[in-house]
Amino acid sequence: MNEDYSERLEYAINKTQKYKDIFQIEAFLGENNLLTIRSAMGKILESKVIQDAGIGIRILKEDGGLGFSSTCDFSDEAIIKSIDEALAISKFRKVDPSYSFAVPRKSQRNANFYDKQLVEAIYEYDNLNETINQALQETLEFHPAIKEVAGPAHFVEYKKHIINSNEVDLSEKGTYWNAELMAIAETSLDRREGSDSSAGFAVKELNLSQMATKAGDMAVKSLNGKKVDAGTYEIIFSPMSMSTFLGWFVMLTNPQNQEKNMPLLKDKIGGMIASERFIIGNDPLKVASPVSGLYDDEGTPTEDIIIVENGIFKTMPLDTFYASKFQTRSNGSGYRLARGSGMTNYPGQLYQSEPIPIFPSIYMEGGGSDVERMIESTRKGIYLDFLHYAYITNGGTGDYTGILRQGTFLIESGEIIYPIKKCRLMDNIIEMAKNIELIGEPKIAGHWRDMRLVPPVKISSVDIIPY
Amino acid sequence: MSEFYLILVSREHQVLATGIKSFKVIFVEDLLDYILKFGRSNEYLDVRLEKFQNLVINSINQEITKAFTYQKKGIGIRILADGAWGFASSQNLEKSAVKKTLEIARKMAHIEADRSKTPIQLAEIPVSEDMVEVPCSIDFREIPLEEKINQILMWNNQINISEEILRTIVDYATISATKYFWSNEGTKIKFIRPLVYVNLGAVAKGNTGVRAYYQPWGGTFPNVGGTGGHEILGQNGDLSEICQLVGEKAIKLSNAKPAPTLKDIPIVFDPAYMALLVHEIIGHPSEADRVLGWEAAWAGSTWWKGKSKDEGNPTKVGSKYVTVYNDPTIPKNFAYMLYDDEGTPCKRTTLIKEGIVTERMHSRETAYLMNVEPNGAMRANTYEYQPLIRQINVFWGTGDWKVEEIIEDTKKGVYLLGANIPSIDDQRFNWAISSQEGYLIENGELTEHLYSCAATATTPTFLKSIDALAGDDQQLFWSSCGKGDPMQGGTVSNGGPTMRGIATLTGPRK
């Protein structure tokens, strides 16, 4: 990120102030430098770099009109065109008269998400490339049955700068990495996978050897799986599979989703929606993500937010727009993570998108148990490490399904008996959350940009269908 | 901060970027020439220069909840040096930045080449020089924003047919894209592509609950999205009948009964459900990168590896009613194109013919490995991303039944309409897809209306069970799809006719 585009933000603000009827203006600069190294078949398949920067301009008119437009062209003319388009849109989109862009509020917290060493490594490429290559070799050498290893690694340097006419003027920068390794073990009779993932913001946190060992061990132990009978099981979710579950559960708390195809928890604040053991929250300082910072993408300080406390639905993510709809204030959850509409989201800040309410750094409180005790207390159950392609198939009822893909073991009378073949979970996500029985201690786990701080969890009743 | 900006102008005088401080005019063709001249004689080099102008409008009831435009332009440079790929992209089109981007891509390739034991080779393709401009009879770029907003609010109004409707949902988007693809083999292609799409939905409250009739990622109805102008939408922009139907369906669904669980029963799938089904169980596993295991880490591989004609082993995996094509060249389809992002001419590919697996979808690299001709399946969402193999317009062929005959011929079964959400295993061996709605079929007649229906089956058993396929209602639908690291969203088109096969129906869980 050699260019300094901040002057362009000031240009946008100054230019807009000359228009009539403008109540407030906001300009957001987002910059990303993303390196991806993708491996498969035991080797690095490709390395690639995306360099991106642009400005998003939001205008609020005195009559409540709200408009947004963005451009990656930093020329005067392109910025003026964006202002004009935002103004044109503001004629037709009206918000509550009380609506306002973020006002200056100083974060009372301190944190650093920027690692200069990681930035240098991104620009250097070959050291990261060599580190990943070594991890691939380590995984392959873990056991003779390991035949393949695959996985992506992303390294991103991001920067944002927000200026608005309420005198918000702040910039933050950060770094983030995420890596996944999947080992594939094969015998003449079977082929199974094991995987691990990790994430952080500093390059010194990158421990691929540990991941190689876990992925290799899981793949080998999973060989020669047997078919499981259809039925209701106690399921022990590893932090990785629980992270997937939690991501879907939290989507139901999103007011934007509730208005469209996930109305299940609409107007349910204060209601009991999970086991009383269930405490989840969101805090960018607890869980590094590619948008972590002291402020959200509107300039509101981020907070440690309790989403569900002892099973009771407490808080939904609120940006300034949704906060005004609910006659309250933003809780620092406005992020520019576009989904759909022909846009793609990759790690980092996105200037193309207007802020939307999102919890990007989800955590779940620990409960003092551990996997060993969970297994000992299980009469008929399954240990699950990796839940694949899970979806809420009906956002009105909470129907939930996914594949028990990797690290799946049958438990009987307190002991792991044998690995089982892939099978399908078909249940209800709210009922599952209500049936949480034991909770271990949390660790960072998940996939890609959806890393979370999650403990292993035992759920007492889950329907499983073999195939 | 740079002290000058560029005005990039094509030979047809299309402005790509403008500057004001101090500027100079550069022809797009000159910039592309400038990049390609840095390609060395032993390197393959291609460049994609793209510009987008997008408009997105979301509405709920009579309120515009979100509306924005964005402009984006930039360059993606791919290089094959010493048998390894390197790729880099940038939105900065100054010559110095472009040269630096090329150098990053080259460095990546050299690092990989040092470790690679098997140099990558490409199947040959013809050198093409072409300009493809999609015709647009009702050009949305010329329709004033106010008119579009009024139309969107009117669609909301048309969905809101009674007091039982709690919310109406209309999402509208247009994309204007111009892409140049040049390679140092001599290919020069310009592609001008307008797209429009609409998502219609409703939430209603009835006797059995609050139900949403809304598909988040695709069209439950034909003619609500495609490549072209507003003529794509309904009858020249008239969606009134479809809007009314959305309202009616939401109300009906809120009075429907929960679906029962019925193991291994005949299920009749409507064309909209078929679009998602063919996308998930035929389209993705037919992508050659998946077949070769290159997507194993996250998306997965495929259960029918080694079973195609392309791999020298054409294998029967389904009944005579299983014929599936990929054809990007069908006009108006949502992912229409005549050349892929390697410059390969696109063509109709038969993935399965009467139950026998034939061709895969290929890049030049996978075509070389399987010793077949490339068929034009490489795509990148934008210039930012390295192209990858992905289905474009995969659809099921037609049969010899009429839709009414299939229903009448079903003694006890279920009729599923409209696709909702998929969940598929990593080998595409087992699938579960929920529908928007369902009906019980009893003695050849539709009886109970059902909500929360999902069908699940294993693919090989299901494909063999297909015993009826309509010949009179094949339709294509717009949709979107994600693939790759980093994830690339993409436009796709999928479809088929009404079909019957054996699967398990599941209803709401607990």
Side-chain angles (χ1 to χ4, degrees):
Chain A
M1 295 180 187
N2 300 321
E3 304 276 6
D4 179 7
Y5 295 114
S6 295
E7 179 269 333
R8 298 281 81 195
L9 289 184
E10 285 163 16
Y11 175 82
I13 296 283
N14 292 336
K15 200 75 192 169
T16 312
Q17 283 168 350
K18 291 172 186 163
Y19 287 77
K20 280 192 285 184
D21 305 330
I22 299 276
F23 178 48
Q24 292 178 7
I25 165 108
E26 172 199 79
F28 176 91
L29 168 71
E31 287 184 79
N32 297 291
N33 191 18
L34 169 68
L35 167 67
T36 300
I37 300 174
R38 199 168 75 89
S39 310
M41 314 293 287
K43 62 183 182 182
I44 293 172
L45 277 189
E46 59 197 23
S47 304
K48 46 203 178 184
V49 164
I50 296 173
Q51 302 162 105
D52 192 29
I55 293 180
I57 296 167
R58 203 154 54 140
I59 283 164
L60 180 62
K61 291 182 70 181
E62 284 173 357
D63 64 358
L66 181 65
F68 175 79
S69 180
S70 72
T71 180
C72 70
D73 187 336
F74 288 94
S75 69
D76 294 358
E77 285 183 354
I79 289 170
I80 290 167
K81 186 180 175 198
S82 278
I83 292 169
D84 288 341
E85 294 199 349
L87 276 168
I89 285 167
S90 71
K91 285 181 192 165
F92 307 104
R93 181 187 176 196
K94 303 296 179 198
V95 294
D96 189 278
S98 66
Y99 178 73
S100 168
F101 295 146
V103 293
R105 277 166 57 193
K106 188 164 168 50
S107 174
Q108 301 302 311
R109 311 195 291 175
N110 287 307
N112 172 44
F113 297 98
Y114 188 78
D115 179 35
K116 200 176 167 196
Q117 275 184 301
L118 181 58
V119 174
E120 287 166 3
I122 291 172
Y123 285 96
E124 199 52 45
Y125 320 122
D126 39 3
N127 286 344
L128 288 174
N129 193 288
E130 178 56 30
T131 304
I132 288 166
N133 194 51
Q134 280 175 11
L136 298 176
Q137 297 314 310
E138 273 182 57
T139 315
L140 287 169
E141 289 161 10
F142 176 79
H143 190 277
I146 303 288
K147 303 298 181 197
E148 288 180 28
V149 56
H154 303 287
F155 307 90
V156 62
E157 177 194 12
Y158 60 89
K159 180 182 170 185
K160 69 181 174 196
H161 189 167
I162 312 155
I163 298 180
N164 75 25
S165 51
N166 294 338
E167 297 187 345
V168 165
D169 184 351
L170 58 94
S171 66
E172 283 192 284
K173 60 184 180 179
T175 51
Y176 176 78
W177 63 265
N178 161 252
E180 291 177 46
L181 272 182
M182 177 177 287
I184 300 170
E186 200 171 335
T187 64
S188 57
L189 298 172
D190 202 7
R191 177 184 161 95
R192 294 307 300 271
E193 301 155 330
S195 66
D196 196 18
S197 61
S198 191
F201 76 92
V203 73
K204 68 179 180 193
E205 301 168 297
L206 184 65
N207 186 346
L208 291 173
S209 283
Q210 204 174 49
M211 290 169 59
T213 302
K214 192 202 158 188
D217 188 49
M218 187 64 77
V220 173
K221 282 181 177 164
S222 299
L223 282 167
N224 305 317
K226 297 179 183 175
K227 189 172 177 176
V228 72
D229 293 331
T232 303
Y233 290 80
E234 300 163 78
I235 304 274
I236 299 169
F237 286 79
S238 72
M240 193 150 70
S241 52
M242 194 59 197
S243 176
T244 304
F245 175 90
L246 207 53
W248 280 103
F249 187 91
V250 171
M251 282 180 76
L252 289 168
T253 69
N254 188 305
Q256 189 169 274
N257 296 340
Q258 287 172 2
E259 283 182 330
K260 291 191 170 179
N261 60 324
M262 289 189 170
L264 186 61
L265 296 185
K266 187 169 167 57
D267 305 323
K268 295 281 181 7
I269 292 266
M272 195 78 178
I273 59 169
S275 154
E276 62 182 18
R277 298 176 178 85
F278 193 57
I279 302 170
I280 58 171
N282 180 79
D283 187 356
L285 269 56
K286 286 185 178 170
V287 187
S289 88
V291 293
S292 280
L294 292 173
Y295 299 88
D296 72 0
D297 288 352
E298 296 186 290
T300 306
T302 56
E303 305 169 25
D304 185 349
I305 297 165
I306 300 296
I307 306 167
V308 177
E309 188 172 36
N310 300 329
I312 296 169
F313 184 14
K314 304 291 278 190
T315 318
M316 56 176 75
L318 295 173
D319 58 359
T320 54
F321 179 73
Y322 275 91
S324 81
K325 287 184 102 170
F326 292 105
Q327 301 292 309
T328 184
R329 70 176 197 171
S330 163
N331 53 23
S333 306
Y335 289 96
R336 297 168 195 258
L337 299 170
R339 290 181 193 275
S341 306
M343 289 185 285
T344 301
N345 51 345
Y346 49 77
Q349 308 292 348
L350 281 183
Y351 60 86
Q352 299 107 304
S353 172
E354 212 174 340
I356 53 173
I358 282 184
F359 284 137
S361 300
I362 299 162
Y363 67 85
M364 179 173 170
E365 294 283 357
S369 188
D370 57 44
V371 171
E372 286 69 30
R373 274 186 277 174
M374 291 178 194
I375 292 171
E376 282 168 16
S377 68
T378 300
R379 192 179 57 82
K380 178 193 167 195
I382 294 170
Y383 177 84
L384 168 65
D385 196 51
F386 189 124
L387 183 60
H388 173 86
Y389 216 133
Y391 268 109
I392 292 175
T393 54
N394 188 319
T397 60
D399 293 348
Y400 187 60
T401 188
I403 299 290
L404 279 60
R405 176 174 169 179
Q406 297 168 24
T408 48
F409 298 90
L410 186 70
I411 303 165
E412 282 181 0
S413 305
E415 285 182 17
I416 285 185
I417 305 297
Y418 48 71
I420 58 170
K421 290 184 184 294
K422 290 176 206 172
C423 49
R424 179 175 289 283
L425 174 161
M426 271 195 147
D427 214 290
N428 181 287
I429 197 163
I430 297 294
E431 291 300 318
M432 288 171 71
K434 286 181 176 171
N435 288 327
I436 287 174
E437 192 178 284
L438 292 170
I439 300 171
E441 289 309 308
K443 63 165 274 191
I444 293 286
H447 298 289
W448 204 42
R449 67 177 303 148
D450 295 325
M451 302 299 285
R452 302 183 180 98
L453 182 62
V454 208
V457 169
K458 181 179 165 186
I459 297 179
S460 60
S461 169
V462 180
D463 286 351
I464 299 296
I465 300 172
Y467 60 87
Chain B
M1 188 69 215
S2 301
E3 288 305 314
F4 71 93
Y5 298 92
L6 306 179
I7 288 184
L8 293 176
V9 184
S10 73
R11 297 290 178 200
E12 296 81 31
H13 309 294
Q14 183 177 4
V15 175
L16 285 181
T18 56
I20 227 167
K21 282 188 174 179
S22 63
F23 58 88
K24 56 187 173 184
V25 173
I26 290 188
F27 286 106
V28 168
E29 291 82 352
D30 292 343
L31 183 65
L32 294 168
D33 261 340
Y34 171 81
I35 301 163
L36 290 176
K37 86 172 184 195
F38 289 105
R40 296 168 187 158
S41 59
N42 59 347
E43 292 174 339
Y44 167 80
L45 181 64
D46 66 35
V47 187
R48 281 174 296 121
L49 193 155
E50 296 179 56
K51 182 211 175 189
F52 301 88
Q53 168 82 34
N54 293 21
L55 167 68
V56 177
I57 303 171
N58 299 337
S59 65
I60 293 179
N61 294 335
Q62 290 294 310
E63 183 192 355
I64 301 298
T65 53
K66 184 163 279 194
F68 59 92
T69 63
Y70 70 94
Q71 296 85 40
K72 197 151 184 164
K73 62 174 173 53
I75 200 158
I77 300 175
R78 194 173 67 141
I79 190 165
L80 181 61
D82 295 339
W85 286 118
F87 176 82
S89 67
S90 174
Q91 100 289 355
N92 191 336
L93 293 175
E94 290 174 36
K95 277 188 176 176
S96 57
V98 164
K99 187 162 178 274
K100 190 177 162 196
T101 304
L102 169 66
E103 283 161 0
I104 292 169
R106 180 177 282 138
K107 184 174 179 182
M108 299 271 177
H110 283 307
I111 290 169
E112 295 308 324
D114 288 344
R115 295 208 182 88
S116 176
K117 290 168 190 158
T118 314
I120 292 164
Q121 298 198 56
L122 305 180
E124 289 192 7
I125 57 169
V127 171
S128 304
E129 281 198 49
D130 205 352
M131 209 282 273
V132 181
E133 181 166 9
V134 174
C136 210
S137 55
I138 305 177
D139 191 339
F140 52 74
R141 290 163 294 196
E142 292 172 8
I143 298 173
L145 181 64
E146 184 172 5
E147 203 174 306
K148 287 172 183 162
I149 297 272
N150 287 338
Q151 186 134 54
I152 288 162
L153 295 178
M154 188 180 75
W155 290 332
N156 271 281
N157 200 34
Q158 288 168 341
I159 295 170
N160 190 14
I161 56 171
S162 88
E163 288 178 354
E164 290 157 287
I165 301 284
L166 300 179
R167 288 187 294 284
T168 61
I169 301 153
V170 177
D171 299 331
Y172 167 95
T174 60
I175 302 173
S176 294
T178 302
K179 173 162 60 183
Y180 293 81
F181 174 90
W182 282 30
S183 78
N184 67 350
E185 290 177 340
T187 289
K188 295 178 179 180
I189 296 159
K190 182 179 178 184
F191 183 28
I192 299 172
R193 179 194 183 208
L195 267 96
V196 59
Y197 61 97
V198 176
N199 235 340
L200 304 167
V203 179
K205 186 173 184 180
N207 293 330
T208 61
V210 174
R211 305 266 139 64
Y213 187 88
Y214 174 76
Q215 186 168 354
W217 303 310
T220 297
F221 301 97
N223 308 320
V224 291
T227 303
H230 266 199
E231 71 278 2
I232 295 288
L233 302 177
Q235 296 298 314
N236 289 333
D238 181 5
L239 293 178
S240 56
E241 280 183 27
I242 295 177
C243 289
Q244 180 156 339
L245 198 56
V246 169
E248 288 171 1
K249 280 181 174 287
I251 291 168
K252 218 172 162 192
L253 206 53
S254 67
N255 292 293
K257 293 195 171 170
T261 294
L262 299 168
K263 194 167 166 30
D264 296 336
I265 54 152
I267 299 186
V268 180
F269 305 97
D270 85 330
Y273 191 103
M274 288 289 286
L276 188 54
L277 183 73
V278 77
H279 177 97
E280 300 291 4
I281 73 169
I282 306 289
H284 279 309
S286 297
E287 294 160 348
D289 53 352
R290 259 192 109 104
V291 173
L292 289 165
W294 298 355
E295 291 287 315
W298 171 233
S301 51
T302 172
W303 66 274
W304 58 21
K305 179 178 180 175
K307 292 180 188 290
S308 71
K309 187 176 151 210
D310 278 4
E311 293 152 282
N313 182 29
T315 305
K316 190 162 179 66
V317 299
S319 77
K320 66 174 183 177
Y321 290 113
V322 184
T323 297
V324 177
Y325 307 99
N326 179 50
D327 191 349
T329 68
I330 293 177
K332 298 184 183 177
N333 91 75
F334 199 48
Y336 170 80
M337 58 192 203
L338 295 184
Y339 299 90
D340 74 357
D341 282 340
E342 295 191 307
T344 303
C346 298
K347 62 181 182 183
R348 177 172 290 209
T349 304
T350 305
L351 306 175
I352 308 183
K353 187 169 178 59
E354 295 175 358
I356 296 169
V357 187
T358 50
E359 297 173 87
R360 306 300 195 188
M361 287 174 275
H362 283 290
S363 66
R364 294 180 67 181
E365 185 180 349
T366 62
Y368 181 87
L369 290 170
M370 292 192 193
N371 195 25
V372 296
E373 280 186 21
N375 45 28
M378 280 288 269
R379 273 200 302 162
N381 187 37
T382 67
Y383 66 86
E384 293 169 287
Y385 300 95
Q386 187 162 0
L388 47 85
I389 298 169
R390 62 193 310 171
Q391 60 179 305
I392 300 156
N393 177 25
V394 170
F395 58 95
W396 214 286
T398 53
D400 48 6
W401 291 64
K402 288 185 175 153
V403 178
E404 310 87 78
E405 289 173 349
I406 298 176
I407 302 288
E408 285 167 14
D409 186 64
T410 305
K411 282 196 174 161
K412 186 175 182 187
V414 178
Y415 183 31
L416 297 185
L417 296 97
N420 195 6
I421 304 288
S423 171
I424 320 291
D425 85 358
D426 55 295
Q427 300 253 315
R428 304 276 144 170
F429 185 79
N430 177 272
W431 55 271
I433 297 175
S434 58
S435 69
Q436 295 283 340
E437 56 179 331
Y439 287 89
L440 277 180
I441 307 174
E442 293 170 303
N443 296 318
E445 288 186 0
L446 303 184
T447 57
E448 207 73 73
H449 190 212
L450 307 172
Y451 76 85
S452 211
C453 311
T456 182
T458 54
T459 309
T461 309
F462 175 73
L463 293 178
K464 284 173 187 153
S465 77
I466 294 165
D467 65 351
L469 186 68
D472 56 350
D473 70 339
Q474 186 192 50
Q475 289 169 328
L476 292 178
F477 300 82
W478 79 265
S479 192
S480 60
C481 167
K483 187 179 175 183
D485 282 304
M487 177 70 82
Q488 298 186 41
T491 58
V492 291
S493 183
N494 290 110
T498 296
M499 184 182 84
R500 183 176 65 192
I502 304 292
T504 291
L505 177 79
T506 65
R509 312 304 293 179
K510 295 171 184 166

